[in-house]
Amino acid sequence: MENKICPYSDDYLYYDEKTNHYVLTEKALVENVGLNIRARMSDTALVNPEVAIKSFTRTVSDMVYQFIHQHNVNNRAQDCLIATVPELRRIIQTAMEYQAVYVANVGNLYLSTKPEERAVAIDYLAQSVLGDVVPCLGYSILYTGVY
């Protein structure tokens, strides 16, 4: 595997300079998890497919980053680590892929008026991946201590 300077964009994740967050691409959804949002849209849909896909992937990214951020008060440090540590880039991509499948199947539960549904808005496998210890760091991205 080629060493790249993080953060960087590729066919599966792009780095949004405005938010300093990674976002999945449509190609990642189709090739890695078999989720074809474009094909799920009706031919008569009034929404531009590119806009809908971008909104979907942005929401998935926001959901995963929000979950990460609720575990530490230094969100800038967390985001910097995700942006610059290659192992964390792979973890964030995997977590977002799990979350995308979850949202596609059950919807965005953060929009629910029921607290018990909002409490399960993040996919269990995404949470598990985010909680794994990263060997090069010695802790997970959900680490609540001081960096």
Side-chain angles (χ1 to χ4, degrees), residues 13 15 20 23 25-26 49 56 64 66 74 90 107 141 145:
L13 278 181
Y15 188 74
N20 295 316
V23 181
T25 65
E26 181 178 6
F56 179 82
V64 170
Q66 182 279 330
N74 193 346
R90 286 190 291 279
I141 192 56

Side-chain angles (χ1 to χ4, degrees), residues 15 23 30-31 33 72 81 95 120 132 138:
Y15 188 74
V23 181
V30 173
E31 291 185 8
V33 296
N72 193 296
L81 283 171
V120 294
D132 288 345

Side-chain angles (χ1 to χ4, degrees), residues 84-102:
T84 58
V85 177
E87 291 84 356
L88 291 178
R89 188 181 191 280
R90 286 190 291 279
I91 287 169
I92 199 82
Q93 179 178 341
T94 301
M96 285 184 195
E97 289 170 352
Y98 283 132
Q99 186 65 21
V101 171
Y102 187 73

Side-chain angles (χ1 to χ4, degrees), residues 19 22 25 32 35 42 44 66 71 74 76 84 90 120 133:
T19 62
Y22 281 111
T25 65
N32 295 349
L35 181 60
S42 164
T44 60
Q66 182 279 330
H71 288 85
N74 193 346
R76 285 185 70 198
T84 58
R90 286 190 291 279
V120 294
V133 172

Side-chain angles (χ1 to χ4, degrees), residues 16-17 21 46 52 71 77 86 103 121 138 141 144-145:
D16 185 329
E17 302 265 341
H21 293 169
L46 298 175
H71 288 85
V103 171
I141 192 56
T144 57

Side-chain angles (χ1 to χ4, degrees), residues 98-117:
Y98 283 132
Q99 186 65 21
V101 171
Y102 187 73
V103 171
N105 288 314
V106 301
N108 180 349
L109 295 179
Y110 279 134
L111 300 176
S112 175
T113 58
K114 299 176 184 172
E116 63 273 12
E117 288 184 357

Side-chain angles (χ1 to χ4, degrees), residues 43-93:
D43 289 335
T44 60
L46 298 175
V47 177
N48 177 324
E50 283 72 27
V51 172
I53 292 165
K54 186 174 183 175
S55 175
F56 179 82
T57 57
R58 164 81 51 217
T59 297
V60 167
S61 175
D62 289 346
M63 293 172 90
V64 170
Y65 274 92
Q66 182 279 330
F67 180 77
I68 293 167
H69 289 169
Q70 75 185 26
H71 288 85
N72 193 296
V73 295
N74 193 346
N75 299 151
R76 285 185 70 198
Q78 283 176 313
D79 290 353
C80 184
L81 283 171
I82 293 167
T84 58
V85 177
E87 291 84 356
L88 291 178
R89 188 181 191 280
R90 286 190 291 279
I91 287 169
I92 199 82
Q93 179 178 341

